[in-house]
Amino acid sequence: MIRILILTTFLFSFSCIPSLPKRDHQTLELPNEFPQWENSTESENLANQIWTEFYKDPQLVSLVDDAIQNNQELAILEQEINISNNEIMARHGEYLPKLALQGGTGLEKTERFSTPDANSPTLFTRGGLVMSWEVDIWKKLRNATKAAYLRYLSGIEGRRYVLTNLVSEVSNTYYELILLDNQLELVENYIEVLTKVKDMVVLQRDAGRATSLGVKRFEAEVAKNIARRYDLKQNISITENKLNQLVGRFPKHIDRQPKNFLLTTLPEIKNSVPVKLLENRPDIKQASLNLEAKKLDVDVARANFYPSLTIDGNVGYEAFNSKHFDGTPVSMAYGIGGGLVMPLLNRKAIKANYLSADNLQIQSIYNYELTLIKAFTEVSNQMIKIKNLNSRYEMKSKQVSDLHDSLEIANILFKAGRVDYIEVLLTQRDFIESQFELLELKETQLVASVGLYKAIGGGWRGQKETTMDPHWEP
């Protein structure tokens, strides 16, 4: 009879598990190669290089190192990792036997008509060990522990992804600061040149070779660029403060060498395979680990439909009066028992949790696919951008060179009286604007290179990570 009851219970538990909806969606596969990708074996493993090998500027390397050490966001994520590690310990402890020391004393009086002479007060005393153990026959507890372990690994990858973004943002802000320094120097030199030309126009006006219109035009140009100088100084201060914030400190002056900015280069990245994104990008690893954890959560939720087996036991000493404690075996008491529990009335709540776990699993699948598409698109966009920027920079450099020659010719002709002030002014203005654009284009090139380095998963290796042993490993 008992066997039939147990068999019926098992059949009922398995038959009442709701079926999950199938995901009507085609599995996403990475393409074999990136579009417009050039092959170069010499830079194939650049994504595996640490950032100290990618960035050659010692000031930038120092700033990135300080940011890794002091950035508060990274410190917050480290605590999240510690919390995940503690969660592993908690989950691991749930499927181990629980042992407790128990003791007690009291006075008991039963009702008058229970048993003969049972209505007299009785003093009892007991003490000993109590054990309880839920046998993990369906791997529910172990799967929950493994899911917590995967989330712990996911937290590590999440911190690495934030670190990758931090290294990239510090680099971009640093190059923006250097750009502003060069533009400020350019404007100050331009103001000085304009002032000299204006003085020449004043002399020509006094000599009757020019009018006051030319003087006013040059004075207006000088005033415009003085205003631009104040704007650049303001942007320099704001950008410097932003960089200090990324480094994790209060605003202060940042030592830097803005000279030879146009000669700054970063290693070229010309070879990679899309599948390497799975190895290099922490956000893809994080999404993959979260997906594996969600799959285990579904198994844990499914196991709640099954009967749970619990073993309880106790051993110790017990007597109706402490003076009768005579030791082993006279006062020794023990007990052991097993229980099989199966949910019946609360199955709707269990079903809801089961379906929600499956929905979260499907959600994590889409999130993983979205992360893959985002990573592939970022690499493609940065590669196309770098290719076009190189062509633009070459043409812009030629424009600056031609305008420089034109300016020298205009100055010679102006001194000789062959052209008027307006030709000199327009040529000067075109020359300064082309220099501004060339500097901005250079900064855009560097930012694109940093973006490609980040997009292929570079920037997190070589960091000083906090070493921590997990409380449990599969």
Side-chain angles (χ1 to χ4, degrees):
M1 184 67 181
I2 297 177
R3 292 180 179 178
I4 295 176
L5 179 61
I6 294 175
L7 180 59
T8 303
T9 301
F10 273 85
L11 292 176
F12 178 76
S13 63
F14 280 99
S15 62
C16 292
I17 298 178
S19 59
L20 296 176
K22 294 184 179 181
R23 176 174 174 264
D24 187 15
H25 192 79
Q26 187 176 2
T27 303
L28 187 69
E29 295 182 1
L30 277 173
N32 295 325
E33 60 181 10
F34 293 105
Q36 302 185 16
W37 197 264
E38 299 178 4
N39 294 324
S40 175
T41 56
E42 61 186 10
S43 58
E44 182 175 357
N45 297 319
L46 187 59
N48 297 327
Q49 292 182 2
I50 62 177
W51 51 267
T52 53
E53 298 175 358
F54 184 74
Y55 302 108
K56 305 300 182 181
D57 190 329
Q59 269 105 359
L60 177 56
V61 171
S62 177
L63 285 170
V64 172
D65 186 62
D66 290 342
I68 294 174
Q69 297 298 320
N70 303 325
N71 186 266
Q72 285 77 16
E73 187 175 359
L74 288 178
I76 292 172
L77 290 175
E78 285 185 2
Q79 297 308 312
E80 292 291 341
I81 294 173
N82 290 334
I83 294 172
S84 299
N85 199 13
N86 296 333
E87 180 69 16
I88 297 173
M89 180 170 59
R91 295 291 183 180
H92 186 219
E94 288 182 0
Y95 72 83
L96 295 177
K98 300 173 181 63
L99 185 65
L101 182 63
Q102 186 182 68
T105 183
L107 184 66
E108 181 181 21
K109 181 181 182 303
T110 59
E111 69 276 10
R112 179 180 178 183
F113 299 103
S114 58
T115 57
D117 300 325
N119 58 335
S120 60
T122 303
L123 179 69
F124 67 89
T125 304
R126 64 172 65 97
L129 298 175
V130 179
M131 185 272 292
S132 177
W133 182 30
E134 181 180 352
V135 183
D136 194 22
I137 52 179
W138 311 113
K139 292 185 178 182
K140 177 179 69 175
L141 302 177
R142 186 172 180 84
N143 284 335
T145 305
K146 188 174 181 180
Y149 176 71
L150 291 173
R151 291 188 179 92
Y152 161 76
L153 297 179
S154 172
I156 294 177
E157 297 298 335
R159 183 187 181 278
R160 288 173 176 173
Y161 183 62
V162 172
L163 175 62
T164 301
N165 290 329
L166 177 63
V167 172
S168 174
E169 193 169 1
V170 169
S171 306
N172 293 340
T173 307
Y174 176 78
Y175 289 133
E176 182 182 358
L177 185 59
I178 298 298
L179 165 67
L180 293 171
D181 288 338
N182 280 268
Q183 288 181 334
L184 178 61
E185 182 182 5
L186 191 61
V187 167
E188 289 176 343
N189 294 335
Y190 183 44
I191 292 173
E192 183 179 354
V193 171
L194 283 176
T195 303
K196 291 180 179 180
V197 177
K198 184 199 70 172
D199 293 339
M200 293 177 61
V201 176
V202 170
L203 292 176
Q204 288 185 345
R205 182 196 62 183
D206 295 341
R209 296 175 55 191
T211 64
S212 297
L213 178 61
V215 177
K216 291 299 181 182
R217 292 290 299 269
F218 273 95
E219 287 178 349
E221 189 70 15
V222 170
K224 184 185 78 171
N225 283 276
I226 289 176
R228 177 185 279 189
R229 180 173 62 186
Y230 286 119
D231 189 47
L232 287 171
K233 287 183 177 181
Q234 173 183 305
N235 291 336
I236 287 173
S237 298
I238 293 175
T239 306
E240 199 171 36
N241 291 342
K242 177 184 177 182
L243 189 52
N244 279 304
Q245 181 182 354
L246 291 172
V247 176
R249 64 193 183 195
F250 291 105
K252 58 179 290 189
H253 175 71
I254 296 177
D255 294 330
R256 54 192 182 273
Q257 295 294 331
K259 302 294 183 182
N260 300 322
F261 178 62
L262 294 177
L263 300 179
T264 305
T265 58
L266 291 174
E268 294 184 3
I269 307 172
K270 294 184 178 179
N271 190 319
S272 186
V273 180
V275 73
K276 289 187 177 180
L277 294 175
L278 304 177
E279 304 171 4
N280 294 326
R281 287 197 50 142
D283 57 333
I284 296 181
K285 291 182 181 179
Q286 183 183 25
S288 176
L289 290 168
N290 285 333
L291 175 57
E292 294 300 320
K294 295 300 182 184
K295 290 180 179 179
L296 291 174
D297 289 340
V298 175
D299 294 337
V300 172
R302 183 188 297 110
N304 289 327
F305 288 99
Y306 306 151
S308 59
L309 176 62
T310 304
I311 298 176
D312 298 312
N314 63 82
V315 61
Y317 297 95
E318 183 174 356
F320 67 90
N321 198 315
S322 60
K323 68 181 181 179
H324 294 291
F325 273 135
D326 293 331
T328 307
V330 177
S331 300
M332 189 173 183
Y334 61 87
I336 188 170
L340 194 64
V341 180
M342 177 183 173
L344 292 176
L345 297 179
N346 196 31
R347 297 182 68 85
K348 284 189 176 181
I350 297 175
K351 178 180 178 180
N353 292 333
Y354 179 50
L355 295 176
S356 295
D358 182 64
N359 294 141
L360 290 172
Q361 176 190 212
I362 296 176
Q363 186 182 63
S364 63
I365 293 175
Y366 288 122
N367 181 65
Y368 177 72
E369 294 179 349
L370 180 63
T371 306
L372 280 180
I373 295 174
K374 179 182 176 182
F376 186 87
T377 304
E378 284 180 0
V379 175
S380 300
N381 289 345
Q382 293 299 331
M383 197 62 207
I384 295 171
K385 184 184 295 185
I386 288 175
K387 184 176 181 180
N388 292 329
L389 285 172
N390 289 339
S391 301
R392 286 179 56 195
Y393 187 81
E394 183 180 352
M395 292 297 100
K396 184 60 67 174
S397 298
K398 185 178 184 304
Q399 179 189 7
V400 171
S401 177
D402 292 340
L403 286 173
H404 178 267
D405 295 339
S406 299
L407 182 60
E408 290 185 348
I409 295 172
N411 287 331
I412 294 174
L413 294 176
F414 177 71
K415 292 177 182 179
R418 301 284 299 275
V419 296
D420 59 7
Y421 69 91
I422 196 66
E423 294 291 339
V424 178
L425 180 60
L426 293 177
T427 307
Q428 284 277 9
R429 184 181 296 171
D430 291 343
F431 182 55
I432 185 68
E433 293 301 330
S434 65
Q435 286 180 296
F436 257 78
E437 292 173 0
L438 184 64
L439 288 171
E440 291 174 350
L441 197 56
K442 184 63 181 180
E443 189 255 353
T444 305
Q445 271 188 317
L446 294 173
V447 169
S449 296
V450 172
L452 180 57
Y453 180 57
K454 185 192 93 170
I456 62 176
W460 63 267
R461 288 183 171 84
Q463 62 173 311
K464 299 178 181 177
E465 291 183 322
T466 302
T467 56
M468 179 174 53
D469 294 329
H471 295 300
W472 179 90
E473 288 188 42

